[in-house]
Amino acid sequence: MKADLVIRNGQIFVNGEFFEGGVAVKDGKTVAICEDRYLPEAETVLDAEGNPVLPGVVDTHVHVRDPGHRERGTFVTETKAAAAGGVTCFLEHPISSPPPYSPEILRNRVRVAAPQALVDYAFFGAAGAEFPDEVEKVAREGIVAFKTFLHEAPEGRDEEFRGLTMANDGEILDGFRAVAKTGLILTIHAENNDIIQRLIRQFRAEGKVGFEYHYKSRPPITEIETVAKLLMFAKETGTRVSFAHISTPEAAELVKRAKLDGMDVYLETCPHYLFLTEEMIDKYGPYAKGNPPLRSRESMEKLWDYVNDGSVDFIGSDHGPFLVSEKEKGMKDIFTAAAGPACIEMTLPLMLTAVRDGKLSMRRMVELLSENPARVFGLWPRKGAIRVGGDADYVIADMKNEYTVNNKDFVTHSRDTSPMYNGFRLVGKPLHTIVRGRIIMKNRVIDDSAEGWGKVMLPGWGSGRTA
């Protein structure tokens, strides 16, 4: 057999450990994992130069604003950014104009992404109170999960949140019951909107609109209380739930206890809650604004305990591109700025640096970034591991050389909105990214001709079907 691609001279991560050797790829699948001397001939040979060859990252939390807000980024620009970050498959959350709350809207998103994406992707459906009859119909379209927000649409963003919100407890209970019938996971943005809006009104009335009032208007209790309540709703309705971007150790503890009680519940956190603190909001203002907000150093450090004890299931980037002008609004009134970082390129280097520094093991990192996302969202065993018969999705990262982060070097169209990591000294910069056997990025150069190579992944008995 002559392979399409051989990667040799690598540290291949398989079954929780490294070995020296290489992989062979045929028709987009891994067909051999062995010592270099046993590798077949190939059309293309890539030298890993002794660097780790890891499963491609499966990012559980990405927002591409296409269609609706292509000025913020497109499936071309943001999947290039994904490739630059070693992400070979991502789960697209349903904030678009409009959100995919119906089969017709979802199919249009698939059509929009198909000719553009360089890496693979799967979709979340929108679950809100407005269109309960659409939930089961959307579930049959091949989404991997639903997503909902527990508030009314943010100011000026009505169209982006249509059909995506459950604004009170009655709507939440009805929404949970509707999703429970589908058997799919409901991913939740868990913050208490009543407390937050009351505080914002109070602060504005007092003229307190400076940077620090973003996190002061969203204190930890707004997340902790909401997680506690929603766990009760999930238990009552039998809904499988996943909590997105958890920022507090207290909320993580609640989810940990629910898991121990046998509930089907999942926990995601994000790199910014593990590496940044509220001091960054003081420094960068709207550019460091996200929901939930960055927390205290004590909370950040304590959250690592839940990363390491297995409570956290996955780490998603919550990549959310915006325009500089949408961030700059917050320079005079922090409450008017768009919320969200555009940092899909930072997750893997940050986590690999944490591995180097002894904060977690390589095995645990791969579980969080690749294996668990694929398993939980129905893409395993096709995605999430380097294994014979699985998709040939790899990232080769540079663990030998440190580099200094500068957001001007980012690939995302929204690079100018995310300076928070500037000056960080990291290892683990992705050198090569391979998606189903095709080299999408080689030596940090992205193959522009790969537009449209990415495919939509459909969960199918864990096999990760392709549309």
Short mmCIF file of all heavy atoms in Angstrom, two decimals, residues 51-52 345-357 362 365 397-405 424-430:
data_model
loop_
_atom_site.label_atom_id
_atom_site.label_comp_id
_atom_site.label_asym_id
_atom_site.label_seq_id
_atom_site.Cartn_x
_atom_site.Cartn_y
_atom_site.Cartn_z
N ASN A 51 8.66 16.61 17.39
CA ASN A 51 7.61 17.30 18.13
C ASN A 51 6.42 16.38 18.39
O ASN A 51 6.24 15.38 17.69
CB ASN A 51 7.13 18.52 17.34
CG ASN A 51 8.12 19.67 17.39
OD1 ASN A 51 8.45 20.16 18.48
ND2 ASN A 51 8.60 20.11 16.23
N PRO A 52 5.60 16.72 19.37
CA PRO A 52 4.40 15.89 19.64
C PRO A 52 3.40 15.97 18.50
O PRO A 52 3.12 17.05 17.96
CB PRO A 52 3.84 16.49 20.92
CG PRO A 52 4.40 17.86 21.03
CD PRO A 52 5.75 17.80 20.36
N GLU A 345 -7.21 30.64 18.78
CA GLU A 345 -5.81 30.30 18.52
C GLU A 345 -4.99 30.14 19.79
O GLU A 345 -3.83 29.72 19.72
CB GLU A 345 -5.19 31.36 17.62
CG GLU A 345 -5.86 31.44 16.26
CD GLU A 345 -5.55 32.73 15.51
OE1 GLU A 345 -4.38 32.94 15.16
OE2 GLU A 345 -6.50 33.51 15.28
N MET A 346 -5.58 30.47 20.95
CA MET A 346 -4.83 30.47 22.20
C MET A 346 -5.01 29.20 23.03
O MET A 346 -4.16 28.88 23.87
CB MET A 346 -5.23 31.68 23.04
CG MET A 346 -4.79 33.02 22.48
SD MET A 346 -3.00 33.11 22.22
CE MET A 346 -2.39 32.72 23.84
N THR A 347 -6.07 28.47 22.83
CA THR A 347 -6.38 27.36 23.74
C THR A 347 -5.25 26.34 23.82
O THR A 347 -4.78 26.00 24.92
CB THR A 347 -7.68 26.66 23.30
OG1 THR A 347 -8.74 27.60 23.28
CG2 THR A 347 -8.03 25.52 24.25
N LEU A 348 -4.81 25.83 22.69
CA LEU A 348 -3.80 24.76 22.72
C LEU A 348 -2.46 25.24 23.26
O LEU A 348 -1.89 24.57 24.15
CB LEU A 348 -3.64 24.15 21.33
CG LEU A 348 -2.70 22.93 21.25
CD1 LEU A 348 -3.18 21.81 22.15
CD2 LEU A 348 -2.57 22.45 19.81
N PRO A 349 -1.91 26.37 22.83
CA PRO A 349 -0.65 26.81 23.43
C PRO A 349 -0.75 27.07 24.93
O PRO A 349 0.19 26.73 25.68
CB PRO A 349 -0.32 28.10 22.65
CG PRO A 349 -1.02 27.95 21.35
CD PRO A 349 -2.28 27.21 21.67
N LEU A 350 -1.84 27.65 25.38
CA LEU A 350 -2.00 27.89 26.81
C LEU A 350 -2.01 26.56 27.58
O LEU A 350 -1.33 26.43 28.62
CB LEU A 350 -3.30 28.64 27.08
CG LEU A 350 -3.31 30.13 26.74
CD1 LEU A 350 -4.75 30.66 26.73
CD2 LEU A 350 -2.46 30.94 27.71
N MET A 351 -2.75 25.59 27.08
CA MET A 351 -2.86 24.32 27.79
C MET A 351 -1.57 23.51 27.71
O MET A 351 -1.20 22.83 28.68
CB MET A 351 -4.05 23.53 27.25
CG MET A 351 -5.41 24.19 27.48
SD MET A 351 -5.75 24.65 29.19
CE MET A 351 -5.83 23.04 29.97
N LEU A 352 -0.89 23.57 26.58
CA LEU A 352 0.40 22.87 26.49
C LEU A 352 1.44 23.51 27.40
O LEU A 352 2.29 22.82 27.96
CB LEU A 352 0.89 22.85 25.03
CG LEU A 352 0.19 21.84 24.13
CD1 LEU A 352 0.60 22.04 22.67
CD2 LEU A 352 0.50 20.40 24.56
N THR A 353 1.37 24.82 27.55
CA THR A 353 2.27 25.48 28.50
C THR A 353 1.95 25.05 29.92
O THR A 353 2.85 24.85 30.74
CB THR A 353 2.18 27.01 28.34
OG1 THR A 353 2.51 27.37 26.99
CG2 THR A 353 3.14 27.73 29.30
N ALA A 354 0.66 24.89 30.21
CA ALA A 354 0.25 24.40 31.54
C ALA A 354 0.77 22.98 31.77
O ALA A 354 1.18 22.64 32.88
CB ALA A 354 -1.26 24.45 31.67
N VAL A 355 0.77 22.17 30.71
CA VAL A 355 1.34 20.82 30.83
C VAL A 355 2.83 20.91 31.14
O VAL A 355 3.33 20.24 32.05
CB VAL A 355 1.09 20.02 29.53
CG1 VAL A 355 1.88 18.71 29.56
CG2 VAL A 355 -0.40 19.73 29.35
N ARG A 356 3.54 21.73 30.39
CA ARG A 356 4.98 21.90 30.65
C ARG A 356 5.23 22.34 32.09
O ARG A 356 6.20 21.90 32.73
CB ARG A 356 5.56 22.93 29.69
CG ARG A 356 7.06 23.15 29.85
CD ARG A 356 7.52 24.48 29.29
NE ARG A 356 6.94 25.62 30.00
CZ ARG A 356 7.20 26.88 29.71
NH1 ARG A 356 8.03 27.17 28.73
NH2 ARG A 356 6.64 27.87 30.41
N ASP A 357 4.36 23.22 32.59
CA ASP A 357 4.56 23.78 33.93
C ASP A 357 4.01 22.90 35.05
O ASP A 357 4.05 23.28 36.22
CB ASP A 357 3.90 25.16 34.02
CG ASP A 357 4.56 26.18 33.09
OD1 ASP A 357 5.69 25.93 32.64
OD2 ASP A 357 3.92 27.22 32.82
N MET A 362 -0.44 15.64 30.22
CA MET A 362 -0.76 15.63 28.79
C MET A 362 -2.00 14.78 28.54
O MET A 362 -2.86 15.15 27.73
CB MET A 362 0.42 15.11 27.98
CG MET A 362 0.20 15.13 26.48
SD MET A 362 0.12 16.81 25.79
CE MET A 362 1.87 17.22 25.78
N MET A 365 -5.02 16.79 29.38
CA MET A 365 -5.24 17.85 28.40
C MET A 365 -5.91 17.30 27.14
O MET A 365 -6.85 17.91 26.61
CB MET A 365 -3.92 18.53 28.02
CG MET A 365 -4.11 19.78 27.18
SD MET A 365 -2.72 20.17 26.10
CE MET A 365 -2.95 18.97 24.78
N ALA A 397 2.73 20.32 17.35
CA ALA A 397 2.99 21.55 18.09
C ALA A 397 4.46 21.65 18.48
O ALA A 397 5.14 20.64 18.72
CB ALA A 397 2.11 21.60 19.34
N ASP A 398 4.94 22.87 18.55
CA ASP A 398 6.34 23.15 18.88
C ASP A 398 6.49 23.27 20.40
O ASP A 398 6.13 24.30 20.98
CB ASP A 398 6.77 24.45 18.19
CG ASP A 398 8.24 24.78 18.44
OD1 ASP A 398 8.93 24.00 19.13
OD2 ASP A 398 8.69 25.84 17.95
N MET A 399 7.02 22.24 21.02
CA MET A 399 7.25 22.26 22.46
C MET A 399 8.69 22.64 22.81
O MET A 399 9.06 22.69 23.99
CB MET A 399 6.91 20.90 23.07
CG MET A 399 5.44 20.54 22.99
SD MET A 399 4.39 21.64 23.98
CE MET A 399 4.78 21.08 25.65
N LYS A 400 9.48 22.92 21.79
CA LYS A 400 10.90 23.20 22.03
C LYS A 400 11.19 24.68 22.21
O LYS A 400 12.17 25.05 22.88
CB LYS A 400 11.73 22.67 20.86
CG LYS A 400 11.58 21.17 20.60
CD LYS A 400 12.28 20.77 19.32
CE LYS A 400 12.04 19.32 18.97
NZ LYS A 400 12.64 18.94 17.66
N ASN A 401 10.38 25.51 21.61
CA ASN A 401 10.67 26.94 21.57
C ASN A 401 9.54 27.76 22.17
O ASN A 401 8.36 27.55 21.85
CB ASN A 401 10.89 27.39 20.11
CG ASN A 401 12.02 26.65 19.44
OD1 ASN A 401 13.18 26.77 19.84
ND2 ASN A 401 11.69 25.87 18.43
N GLU A 402 9.90 28.70 23.04
CA GLU A 402 8.92 29.64 23.55
C GLU A 402 8.66 30.74 22.53
O GLU A 402 9.52 31.03 21.69
CB GLU A 402 9.41 30.28 24.85
CG GLU A 402 9.29 29.42 26.08
CD GLU A 402 9.46 30.23 27.36
OE1 GLU A 402 9.99 31.37 27.28
OE2 GLU A 402 9.07 29.74 28.43
N TYR A 403 7.50 31.34 22.60
CA TYR A 403 7.21 32.51 21.79
C TYR A 403 6.42 33.50 22.64
O TYR A 403 5.83 33.14 23.66
CB TYR A 403 6.44 32.13 20.53
CG TYR A 403 4.99 31.78 20.71
CD1 TYR A 403 3.97 32.68 20.40
CD2 TYR A 403 4.61 30.52 21.20
CE1 TYR A 403 2.63 32.35 20.56
CE2 TYR A 403 3.28 30.18 21.37
CZ TYR A 403 2.30 31.10 21.05
OH TYR A 403 0.97 30.78 21.22
N THR A 404 6.42 34.74 22.23
CA THR A 404 5.70 35.80 22.94
C THR A 404 4.42 36.11 22.19
O THR A 404 4.44 36.40 20.99
CB THR A 404 6.56 37.07 23.06
OG1 THR A 404 7.78 36.75 23.75
CG2 THR A 404 5.82 38.16 23.83
N VAL A 405 3.31 36.07 22.88
CA VAL A 405 2.01 36.30 22.25
C VAL A 405 1.86 37.77 21.85
O VAL A 405 2.16 38.67 22.63
CB VAL A 405 0.86 35.89 23.19
CG1 VAL A 405 -0.50 36.21 22.55
CG2 VAL A 405 0.96 34.41 23.54
N PHE A 424 2.42 37.17 27.06
CA PHE A 424 2.55 35.82 27.61
C PHE A 424 3.66 35.08 26.87
O PHE A 424 3.77 35.16 25.65
CB PHE A 424 1.24 35.04 27.44
CG PHE A 424 0.23 35.26 28.52
CD1 PHE A 424 -0.06 36.53 29.00
CD2 PHE A 424 -0.49 34.19 29.05
CE1 PHE A 424 -1.02 36.74 29.97
CE2 PHE A 424 -1.46 34.39 30.02
CZ PHE A 424 -1.72 35.66 30.49
N ARG A 425 4.49 34.36 27.64
CA ARG A 425 5.53 33.51 27.04
C ARG A 425 5.03 32.06 27.09
O ARG A 425 4.82 31.49 28.17
CB ARG A 425 6.83 33.65 27.83
CG ARG A 425 7.45 35.03 27.73
CD ARG A 425 8.14 35.27 26.40
NE ARG A 425 9.28 34.37 26.21
CZ ARG A 425 9.90 34.20 25.05
NH1 ARG A 425 9.46 34.83 23.96
NH2 ARG A 425 10.94 33.40 24.95
N LEU A 426 4.83 31.48 25.90
CA LEU A 426 4.21 30.16 25.81
C LEU A 426 5.04 29.22 24.96
O LEU A 426 5.87 29.65 24.14
CB LEU A 426 2.82 30.28 25.18
CG LEU A 426 1.81 31.21 25.87
CD1 LEU A 426 0.51 31.24 25.07
CD2 LEU A 426 1.55 30.78 27.30
N VAL A 427 4.78 27.94 25.13
CA VAL A 427 5.22 26.91 24.19
C VAL A 427 3.97 26.34 23.53
O VAL A 427 2.85 26.73 23.86
CB VAL A 427 6.03 25.78 24.88
CG1 VAL A 427 7.33 26.33 25.43
CG2 VAL A 427 5.20 25.11 25.97
N GLY A 428 4.17 25.41 22.60
CA GLY A 428 3.03 24.70 22.03
C GLY A 428 2.36 25.37 20.86
O GLY A 428 1.23 25.03 20.52
N LYS A 429 3.05 26.29 20.21
CA LYS A 429 2.46 26.89 19.02
C LYS A 429 2.26 25.82 17.95
O LYS A 429 3.19 25.08 17.62
CB LYS A 429 3.34 28.01 18.47
CG LYS A 429 2.81 28.66 17.19
CD LYS A 429 3.74 29.71 16.65
CE LYS A 429 3.61 31.00 17.43
NZ LYS A 429 4.34 32.13 16.77
N PRO A 430 1.06 25.70 17.39
CA PRO A 430 0.84 24.71 16.34
C PRO A 430 1.69 25.03 15.10
O PRO A 430 1.69 26.16 14.62
CB PRO A 430 -0.65 24.83 16.03
CG PRO A 430 -1.24 25.39 17.29
CD PRO A 430 -0.21 26.34 17.81
#
